[in-house]
Amino acid sequence: MSAAVLLSSASTSAEASTPGNGTSTSLKTRPGWASSATGNERNVKRQYSEPSGSVLKRQRTPLSSSTANNEGMSTRSVRHSLRTENQELLEDMSENDFVPQRNLAVASDESPGETDVKRVLSVVWSGGKLGSAYYDTETSQLYLQMDVIETNDFQFLKRVKEQVQADVIITSSKQDERILKILQGQEGENNEEPICKTTEVEILPSIDFSFEVCKRRVIALNGLPGIPQHFTDDERDIHMSSLVPFDSSNMVRSAGALIKYIDKKRIGVELEDPDVRVPILGLKVFSLNDLLIVDNNTYSALQILQKERHPSVYKVGTGNSGAKEGLSLFGIINRTKSVLGSHMLRMWFLRPSRDISLLRKRQKAVSYFMSLRNAELVASLQDCLKHIKNVSRILSRMTTAQASVGDWQALYKTAYNGTYIADLCKTIPTDIEIARKVTTSFTDDLHGIGSLISKIIDFDESTEQNRFVVKPGVDPSLDEKKRTYNGLPDFMTKVAREELNKLSSSITECNVIYLPQLGYLLAIPRSSEMKEEKDFALDGLEFVFLSNNRVHYKSASTRELDNLLGDTQCEITDHETAIMHRLQTVILEHTKVLMDVMECCAELDCLIALALCARENNYACPELTTSSVLNIEHGRHPLQELCVNQFVPNNTMIYRDSGRLKVLTGPNASGKSVYLKQVGLIVFLAHIGSFVPADSATVGITDRIFTRIHTRETVSVGLSTFMIDLNQVATAVHGATVNSLVIIDEFGKGTATIDGLSLLSASLRYWLARGPSCPKILVSTHFHGLVRQKLLPQSTLVQYQTMEVMQEEEDLVFLYQLVDGHANSSFACHIASLAGVPDELIKRAHQVTELVRTNKPLQRMDTENSEDQQKRYEAIVVNFLKLDLEHADPHWFLSELLQLTAKD
């Protein structure tokens, strides 16, 4: 228990010093007063004293140094624990009731959460369907994923794992071994910079995942907003059925097991009292059925998301903490002003949607915000959005009575700016979905919360004293206590002067101090005559203790002060804490509107970011269709065009019955890979509701994007480079549908030419055999035999294209323009000369290429006079054939042979 000290002394004139450090200050300093009186000068002094002697060994702090979160309170006050199940106590709180606050660091929106475990994911796979749920300690919400039919390679499970980025994953002991391998990261390609970090997997008994038991756990959740406490069991069942789709059995099983796990492990409340339960402020249901599937390789290959780690090993950190977003699509589009907006935009990138209705609503909002006539409105909205904070953390701390002054300030700013945003959105047409959501969700309750906080909390004083301080005029009883407390310095100075006049003339100074539990005391400097305890006795005074060479007494006047004033400071703190609890109760009753504010503002922030990027880079609104087509007019690469002075756009035309497979050939460095990536990025952007870098585009809804663009080699997976390439292509062969987009860049170069060409042509023929059900395929290759040898069937589904170049003698100019046709050469020697390869090597490469092309034998270049040597070899062969082995002398023949070879 923190203690406070009030000191007062009397003399003729007044002089003040700050408690604890002795520096000069004014008499208006509220906490920690002291008055002293001297016989000669009769000066009234105010000083701070901290009694800590051998008689009474206690450490006490001045009354002014209130500990953070209202810790300095009287022990005689009644303590209450604020629990979710016990909200009724708050309504009946008296002015002396309070909840002890804990001194915890306030986590900002940019900092990590208070605990090591931020998210816990629960997964159940049964009957071919996947159900999952996860708990987020930052938002204190339980997220439920409805059952979906899982693919053979568990793509939905991988997407859930990547999107949630859980610290701990729990599952049943009866789950399939393949599930466990994926959860443990032991299956699939290894990524050097994975989107999701390594997680801990815990296998729980299967009884924890029993459907009926888990359903009861979900129904029995307490503290959810909108559920009255007086509901009967039947009424609660009906209400919960409207929130949770109980027909998704795997989801219910995973959620029930998750609730038991977080309660058992006390996730997020490890340091709290055992009675404090893990707060769950809401339930949210999401589905993966309408998502575009994009795997880690595609995110990396297309540079959609790309982490850039710190070069110093000491600053890299653990997980993703030491990484920042590098040059990526997300990096150039993320213009959000709030942390909530940035987080939601990242979720949009991780969860591209196939819901045309949702995407068109986003496009309409982006189109409105990117208009120049609305630039002033957008600027005003962004000024407000930067002040929107993560109130879910604050509400979570309120449920456990841990809200700090910073939390109250953040909550007030959120409510105030949220109200302003609602007023601004009223000027936006109602057909803009986000404006309609804001105007309907931001009710008058939001304005009431902001107004209530503004009228009650004195933020200046709260910041100065680091505790909750109530404004004057809120509670008359509290104002009276503060007036009494503020008048103590003069009153104690007067008492000290009166006491000094009653003492003998040998005592030239005295102080009146206050100590909690001991009350008001008279402090007199120890004289040379006071050597033993019996020498401390003075007429009319009761000796209490000796500390810091000062003797402390009780007098009639100090006893009268005890009865009259009592523990004023602690009473003020208790009274203000009780008001804080009543205010917390009102705010927690309106949790839903605050959560709606947070979600709507994050979405608004994302839409404005998309609009600003589209306006600055001249993006166009794509037309979305359910037909499997892709028509892009003058498409551009969103990253490449920012890195070059002039970018050459290209068209892409893929129809339902023609041009399904495009085979690109051309020189090295002619722009084939950039073109492939730009098509993939345009399709991806269309599926997050963004505008795209093109003059116009018609994008068919795509279910999955497959890529084989580049290989990230690593020794940790035990696979060769070509094996990793094969895995990527095999995934596309097994999973691609008519609505999929497949991008393959130079597959087959990791093995023998004939083998690579065979595998590539076999894969393409496999897709072409589907006819109109063939996926949309873009392939770039240097295997010109694919065209010359006619390894692909003649069909309208196949279209050969190449990057146009101009060649004048030895000079080669890239035009980066895509045209129909195919290239006869990759011009590798020209690229080698640009790379600085010596001319003699390039000349020899030209010779070897020509000899191989004409099926002529290769001649060695390391021997002089090769023609003469060839003649000598022919002479040796002729002489050997003429040799008569029965009659000729072998020694003579060998000597002649040595003479011929000696000339080499």
Side-chain angles (χ1 to χ4, degrees):
M1 161 71 66
S2 299
V5 182
L6 285 175
L7 304 121
S8 181
S9 50
S11 74
T12 330
S13 61
E15 179 181 357
S17 64
T18 303
N21 58 16
T23 57
S24 177
T25 185
S26 64
L27 192 62
K28 295 181 181 179
T29 303
R30 245 185 285 185
W33 298 282
S35 297
S36 62
T38 58
N40 298 329
E41 300 175 353
R42 312 302 288 174
N43 293 327
V44 180
K45 299 180 180 179
R46 291 165 62 187
Q47 62 182 12
Y48 168 71
S49 174
E50 182 178 357
S52 57
S54 57
V55 180
L56 184 61
K57 298 181 179 179
R58 296 184 182 178
Q59 291 184 348
R60 297 179 174 84
T61 56
L63 186 60
S64 60
S65 58
S66 306
T67 56
N69 298 328
N70 302 331
E71 279 191 331
M73 301 178 183
S74 170
T75 56
R76 61 186 174 79
S77 301
V78 182
R79 297 172 181 250
H80 293 289
S81 294
L82 184 59
R83 304 180 181 91
T84 306
E85 303 90 346
N86 227 350
Q87 296 292 337
E88 303 86 66
L89 293 176
L90 295 173
E91 300 174 359
D92 301 325
M93 259 187 193
S94 66
E95 64 184 29
N96 293 324
D97 294 335
F98 72 97
V99 176
Q101 305 285 306
R102 295 167 176 81
N103 191 7
L104 296 178
V106 180
S108 64
D109 292 285
E110 292 78 15
S111 65
E114 295 84 355
T115 60
D116 292 332
V117 178
K118 292 183 180 179
R119 298 182 185 90
V120 182
L121 172 65
S122 177
V123 175
V124 173
W125 180 66
S126 177
K129 293 184 178 181
L130 176 72
S132 63
Y134 73 93
Y135 176 74
D136 192 337
T137 59
E138 295 183 350
T139 62
S140 298
Q141 296 203 34
L142 190 64
Y143 296 85
L144 310 174
Q145 178 228 320
M146 299 186 348
D147 291 1
V148 295
I149 298 191
E150 182 58 279
T151 59
N152 292 332
D153 52 355
F154 296 99
Q155 281 301 319
F156 283 112
L157 175 59
K158 294 176 182 177
R159 294 311 304 147
V160 170
K161 183 181 176 184
E162 292 163 5
Q163 293 168 15
V164 175
Q165 300 185 21
D167 300 281
V168 178
I169 301 177
I170 63 173
T171 190
S172 170
S173 58
K174 291 186 176 180
Q175 288 297 287
D176 190 274
E177 188 69 22
R178 293 176 297 167
I179 290 281
L180 300 180
K181 286 185 178 180
I182 292 176
L183 295 180
Q184 295 169 355
Q186 298 177 0
E187 183 172 308
E189 284 190 41
N190 180 76
N191 292 318
E192 295 175 358
E193 298 173 0
I195 295 177
C196 57
K197 56 188 176 182
T198 304
T199 56
E200 175 186 353
V201 179
E202 294 194 22
I203 301 176
L204 305 182
S206 59
I207 193 173
D208 289 351
F209 293 84
S210 173
F211 177 76
E212 292 299 331
V213 175
C214 292
K215 182 177 179 180
R216 287 197 296 270
R217 291 192 192 120
V218 174
I219 294 176
L221 283 175
N222 289 322
L224 295 177
I227 302 182
Q229 297 293 330
H230 60 77
F231 266 9
T232 63
D233 292 342
D234 292 338
E235 291 172 336
R236 176 178 284 271
D237 289 351
I238 295 173
H239 185 82
M240 291 298 293
S241 298
S242 65
L243 299 177
V244 181
F246 287 108
D247 54 342
S248 296
S249 59
N250 292 339
M251 181 202 69
V252 175
R253 292 169 60 192
S254 60
L258 178 60
I259 293 171
K260 179 179 179 180
Y261 178 84
I262 60 177
D263 277 339
K264 180 179 179 180
K265 297 292 185 179
R266 300 185 55 75
I267 303 298
V269 292
E270 294 90 342
L271 304 179
E272 305 303 323
D273 295 334
D275 294 336
V276 178
R277 299 190 62 183
V278 177
I280 298 180
L281 299 180
L283 298 174
K284 284 193 174 182
V285 179
F286 67 96
S287 173
L288 296 179
N289 282 323
D290 58 351
L291 296 185
L292 165 66
I293 300 177
V294 183
D295 58 20
N296 286 351
N297 296 308
T298 302
Y299 276 113
S300 175
L302 299 182
Q303 288 183 269
I304 298 174
L305 297 171
Q306 183 167 316
K307 291 294 184 181
E308 187 175 281
R309 297 188 178 275
H310 198 282
S312 172
V313 67
Y314 300 103
K315 296 183 180 180
V316 168
T318 59
N320 290 331
S321 61
K324 65 177 182 178
E325 194 67 30
L327 179 60
S328 65
L329 185 66
F330 177 77
I332 66 170
I333 289 183
N334 185 14
R335 315 290 181 88
T336 56
K337 293 297 183 180
S338 65
V339 176
L340 294 171
S342 178
H343 178 72
M344 177 171 282
L345 184 61
R346 190 175 187 85
M347 289 301 103
W348 285 9
F349 271 69
L350 290 172
R351 300 172 184 173
S353 177
R354 291 187 289 147
D355 186 345
I356 291 185
S357 175
L358 172 64
L359 297 177
R360 286 175 178 168
K361 289 176 181 177
R362 291 180 183 175
Q363 289 178 351
K364 198 168 188 177
V366 170
S367 177
Y368 179 83
F369 289 127
M370 71 180 292
S371 175
L372 288 176
R373 65 173 178 269
N374 299 320
E376 186 176 350
L377 171 65
V378 170
S380 299
L381 287 172
Q382 285 192 307
D383 288 340
C384 295
L385 287 170
K386 68 176 66 173
H387 298 292
I388 302 298
K389 305 299 180 181
N390 188 353
V391 297
S392 58
R393 295 183 185 178
I394 300 173
L395 296 175
S396 177
R397 285 192 283 268
M398 280 187 176
T399 58
T400 55
Q402 295 178 1
S404 65
V405 175
D407 290 335
W408 286 106
Q409 290 175 329
L411 186 61
Y412 172 70
K413 289 180 179 179
T414 300
Y416 175 80
N417 287 279
T419 305
Y420 190 33
I421 290 174
D423 293 337
L424 291 174
C425 287
K426 291 178 181 178
T427 63
I428 301 176
T430 55
D431 59 342
I432 306 298
E433 178 66 17
I434 184 61
R436 187 191 62 79
K437 288 173 63 175
V438 168
T439 53
T440 56
S441 301
F442 292 21
T443 61
D444 293 338
D445 293 340
L446 180 63
H447 179 269
I449 291 174
S451 177
L452 198 60
I453 295 176
S454 176
K455 291 179 180 178
I456 292 178
I457 304 179
D458 188 337
F459 286 112
D460 293 337
E461 286 296 323
S462 298
T463 303
E464 181 180 345
Q465 301 187 31
N466 197 22
R467 67 178 184 85
F468 187 93
V469 178
V470 178
K471 281 184 177 181
V474 175
D475 190 316
S477 175
L478 177 63
D479 294 342
E480 181 62 29
K481 292 177 182 178
K482 288 186 176 181
R483 280 193 293 270
T484 301
Y485 181 75
N486 294 334
L488 285 178
D490 295 336
F491 184 67
M492 293 173 67
T493 300
K494 180 180 178 182
V495 172
R497 184 180 294 109
E498 293 176 354
E499 289 292 334
L500 184 61
N501 293 332
K502 295 178 183 179
L503 298 175
S504 64
S505 58
S506 61
I507 300 175
T508 60
E509 180 183 350
C510 73
N511 298 323
V512 174
I513 68 171
Y514 170 79
L515 295 176
Q517 302 180 6
L518 295 179
Y520 294 89
L521 299 174
L522 191 65
I524 300 175
R526 182 179 181 180
S527 62
S528 57
E529 293 83 7
M530 297 179 177
K531 298 180 180 180
E532 299 181 1
E533 186 173 349
K534 62 182 180 179
D535 300 329
F536 298 153
L538 295 177
D539 294 339
L541 301 179
E542 176 187 351
F543 172 73
V544 181
F545 66 88
L546 171 67
S547 176
N548 289 346
N549 212 29
R550 286 179 176 271
V551 188
H552 298 79
Y553 298 93
K554 274 286 186 181
S555 66
S557 297
T558 57
R559 292 191 182 92
E560 185 179 354
L561 288 176
D562 291 340
N563 298 329
L564 179 63
L565 301 178
D567 198 350
T568 307
Q569 172 63 11
C570 290
E571 288 179 0
I572 292 174
T573 304
D574 295 349
H575 199 149
E576 290 181 327
T577 305
I579 294 175
M580 179 188 71
H581 288 158
R582 290 196 290 270
L583 179 60
Q584 282 184 168
T585 304
V586 174
I587 292 175
L588 290 174
E589 290 175 352
H590 299 86
T591 299
K592 185 178 184 304
V593 66
L594 292 172
M595 300 300 287
D596 289 343
V597 167
M598 189 173 64
E599 183 174 353
C600 291
C601 288
E603 182 178 352
L604 180 63
D605 203 2
C606 293
L607 293 172
I608 292 177
L610 294 178
L612 293 177
C613 183
R615 186 172 64 194
E616 291 179 10
N617 299 309
N618 194 26
Y619 289 179
C621 180
E623 180 183 350
L624 302 174
T625 176
T626 56
S627 179
S628 181
V629 298
L630 179 59
N631 299 329
I632 302 172
E633 183 178 352
H634 294 156
R636 311 185 305 275
H637 193 294
L639 298 177
Q640 187 71 16
E641 69 172 343
L642 301 178
C643 303
V644 296
N645 295 327
Q646 185 176 2
F647 187 88
V648 178
N650 281 297
N651 299 336
T652 303
M653 299 296 175
I654 300 178
Y655 300 100
R656 189 68 175 84
D657 55 356
S658 64
R660 305 292 294 178
L661 169 60
K662 295 187 180 297
V663 180
L664 274 67
T665 56
N668 297 97
S670 62
K672 299 189 302 299
S673 297
V674 171
Y675 171 76
L676 296 181
K677 293 178 181 180
Q678 88 179 26
V679 174
L681 289 174
I682 289 175
V683 172
F684 179 85
L685 283 173
H687 284 78
I688 65 171
S690 171
F691 284 21
V692 298
D695 289 352
S696 65
T698 301
V699 180
I701 293 300
T702 306
D703 59 2
R704 188 168 177 180
I705 299 177
F706 297 90
T707 59
R708 208 318 309 163
I709 294 180
H710 75 88
T711 307
R712 291 192 287 184
E713 303 176 26
T714 174
V715 298
S716 61
V717 295
L719 299 176
S720 67
T721 301
F722 184 60
M723 189 62 186
I724 295 176
D725 293 350
L726 282 174
N727 283 342
Q728 295 177 354
V729 174
T731 301
V733 169
H734 289 300
T737 67
V738 65
N739 292 318
S740 300
L741 175 64
V742 181
I743 301 175
I744 299 177
D745 188 12
E746 298 185 20
F747 170 66
K749 63 183 180 180
T751 185
T753 302
I754 187 64
D755 294 334
L757 177 59
S758 301
L759 287 170
L760 176 61
S761 61
S763 301
L764 299 181
R765 291 180 72 94
Y766 171 80
W767 280 314
L768 289 172
R770 300 184 185 179
S773 297
C774 173
K776 299 183 285 287
I777 307 172
L778 299 174
V779 180
S780 70
T781 182
H782 290 289
F783 293 146
H784 302 292
L786 190 69
V787 181
R788 289 197 296 263
Q789 301 175 25
K790 299 181 180 180
L791 298 180
L792 297 180
Q794 293 183 354
S795 170
T796 57
L797 299 178
V798 183
Q799 183 180 10
Y800 296 100
Q801 294 183 310
T802 183
M803 287 293 178
E804 189 175 8
V805 296
M806 289 181 61
Q807 186 176 13
E808 294 182 2
E809 296 179 356
E810 295 183 358
D811 294 332
L812 191 68
V813 179
F814 297 122
L815 301 181
Y816 304 106
Q817 187 67 49
L818 189 66
V819 295
D820 292 338
H822 61 86
N824 295 320
S825 173
S826 295
F827 299 97
C829 293
H830 176 78
I831 305 301
S833 65
L834 296 179
V837 177
D839 292 339
E840 58 270 18
L841 296 183
I842 295 175
K843 182 179 179 180
R844 175 58 177 168
H846 273 299
Q847 294 176 356
V848 172
T849 301
E850 185 63 23
L851 291 173
V852 172
R853 190 180 65 83
T854 57
N855 292 323
K856 292 183 179 180
L858 299 180
Q859 298 178 354
R860 293 175 60 89
M861 297 296 296
D862 58 353
T863 303
E864 296 181 359
N865 300 322
S866 58
E867 294 183 0
D868 294 340
Q869 186 184 35
Q870 184 69 21
K871 292 178 180 180
R872 286 195 298 270
Y873 291 160
E874 292 177 358
I876 294 173
V877 174
V878 171
N879 291 335
F880 178 76
L881 294 175
K882 293 180 180 180
L883 179 65
D884 187 357
L885 297 178
E886 294 181 358
H887 302 92
D889 184 3
H891 294 285
W892 174 84
F893 176 78
L894 291 176
S895 62
E896 291 291 329
L897 178 63
L898 289 174
Q899 293 177 3
L900 291 174
T901 56
K903 297 178 182 180
D904 291 344

